[in-house]
Amino acid sequence: MALDTRGILAAVTIAMYIPFLLLSIKVAFQYGISRGDGWILLLIFCIIRVLGGALLVAAEDITPVNTGLYIGGYVLEASGLSPLLLCTLGLLRSVFQRPSGESRYTRPFRLLQLLGTVAFALTIIGITNSPSSGSSSSANTMRRAGVILFVVLYIIIVGICLFLWTQVRFVMKYRKQLLKAISIALPFLAVRTLYSVLSTFSSSTFDTSGTSQPNTSDLAKFNILTGEWQIYLVMDMLMEYAVVIIYIVAALVLPLNQDYNRPDLKEEEYPMSRPQW
């Protein structure tokens, strides 16, 4: 069966993210779990994109139509913003690290990670329950609540980034370069977050069966299922590619581990690294 435009884009996603996946595995092992939760989440995001693309390609290739594959693929597509935002949050957390590798503000960052996880769960539950007409209203509410939490998390991430720039003279050497990379990625992440908002509010349902009424909303062109594929390509796929490329290049180029226990570094010179919470 020939792939339609969305199927072709899903196949392109697989082709693009397999190299990203391999590189993110290298980065995750390089920095480890304890010192690199942001890098682990980048790996998780790449896995989600490969699996999501594979499900959507399989859904178009298998006959008769398997609605479950479509739902699974679009669940992964719509919820992928969560690990990308949490990845960014994890990288910002690493900027606060002490020369010993210990983190500052552990409790607030854990609460923000919980916020992202809740948004992720609401999005998944909202999408998976949408095909049920009896629960479509509550499912729509959960999807919209989830995307609003994504926006809140993004705004908080920007606030943390701005705060770090006001204290940049206290940030360790290579963490400053990482902060620059995160700052460059934020506009791309903003567009991706905006697309999620527009797509979610473009329809009151998330029906992959094609039996729902035509979408006549002013935001219909942003709908992830039935909207214009050109908008999806630019505001969703390309924005994610840009963020992932920036983070992976930063991970491979910057010797971030050299910030730990450098012989020329005195911890008392870095107020940002004093343990709190």
Side-chain angles (χ1 to χ4, degrees):
M1 179 178 178
L3 298 177
D4 63 12
T5 303
R6 294 287 176 157
I8 293 172
L9 291 177
V12 170
T13 296
I14 297 172
M16 288 291 295
Y17 276 99
I18 285 178
F20 292 158
L21 175 60
L22 297 176
L23 289 172
S24 62
I25 291 173
K26 170 182 170 60
V27 169
F29 276 103
Q30 178 178 340
Y31 292 107
I33 296 177
S34 61
R35 288 183 171 180
D37 53 353
W39 306 118
I40 297 298
L41 285 162
L42 182 61
L43 170 60
I44 292 173
F45 173 77
C46 291
I47 292 173
I48 286 175
R49 282 293 168 259
V50 171
L51 289 178
L55 288 176
L56 291 176
V57 170
E60 293 200 7
D61 193 49
I62 293 177
T63 53
V65 174
N66 187 327
T67 305
L69 291 176
Y70 279 108
I71 293 175
Y74 281 114
V75 162
L76 293 176
E77 168 58 38
S79 60
L81 180 60
S82 178
L84 197 58
L85 286 171
L86 290 176
C87 165
T88 304
L89 185 68
L91 297 184
L92 284 174
R93 182 188 176 198
S94 73
V95 177
F96 283 99
Q97 283 179 328
R98 308 172 63 195
S100 63
E102 298 177 8
S103 297
R104 191 185 186 213
Y105 298 123
T106 299
R107 189 176 302 168
F109 274 101
R110 292 302 182 195
L111 291 175
L112 291 175
Q113 288 174 338
L114 178 61
L115 175 66
T117 303
V118 170
F120 179 77
L122 287 173
T123 302
I124 291 179
I125 296 172
I127 293 176
T128 54
N129 287 341
S130 286
S132 173
S133 58
S135 61
S136 59
S137 178
S138 60
N140 185 50
T141 300
M142 285 188 284
R143 286 193 304 119
R144 293 184 174 182
V147 80
I148 289 172
L149 291 181
F150 285 146
V151 173
V152 171
L153 183 58
Y154 176 80
I155 293 173
I156 293 173
I157 286 173
V158 172
I160 295 173
C161 193
L162 292 174
F163 170 74
L164 282 167
W165 277 114
T166 66
Q167 306 293 316
V168 70
R169 65 187 182 280
F170 301 126
V171 177
M172 293 186 291
K173 180 179 178 180
Y174 296 111
R175 293 299 187 280
K176 292 178 183 178
Q177 303 303 314
L178 178 60
L179 181 58
K180 290 180 182 178
I182 296 170
S183 301
I184 293 171
L186 284 181
F188 299 105
L189 195 54
V191 175
R192 174 62 183 87
T193 304
L194 176 61
Y195 178 77
S196 281
V197 174
L198 297 175
S199 177
T200 300
F201 282 85
S202 68
S203 174
S204 59
T205 62
F206 197 95
D207 185 9
T208 59
S209 65
T211 59
S212 60
Q213 295 294 323
N215 190 346
T216 58
S217 166
D218 293 336
L219 300 176
K221 61 184 178 181
F222 296 102
N223 190 276
I224 193 173
L225 294 174
T226 60
E228 298 178 8
W229 68 266
Q230 297 92 337
I231 293 177
Y232 168 76
L233 172 65
V234 173
M235 296 187 69
D236 186 299
M237 293 177 62
L238 293 183
M239 295 303 104
E240 290 181 350
Y241 292 160
V243 174
V244 172
I245 289 172
I246 290 169
Y247 289 166
I248 286 182
V249 169
L252 296 177
V253 171
L254 298 176
L256 296 173
N257 282 333
Q258 291 186 20
D259 276 337
Y260 300 127
N261 296 321
R262 285 168 44 204
D264 61 324
L265 186 150
K266 297 180 180 179
E267 191 160 314
E268 60 270 16
E269 294 178 358
Y270 291 82
M272 291 282 291
S273 67
R274 292 171 187 164
Q276 294 188 14
W277 296 0

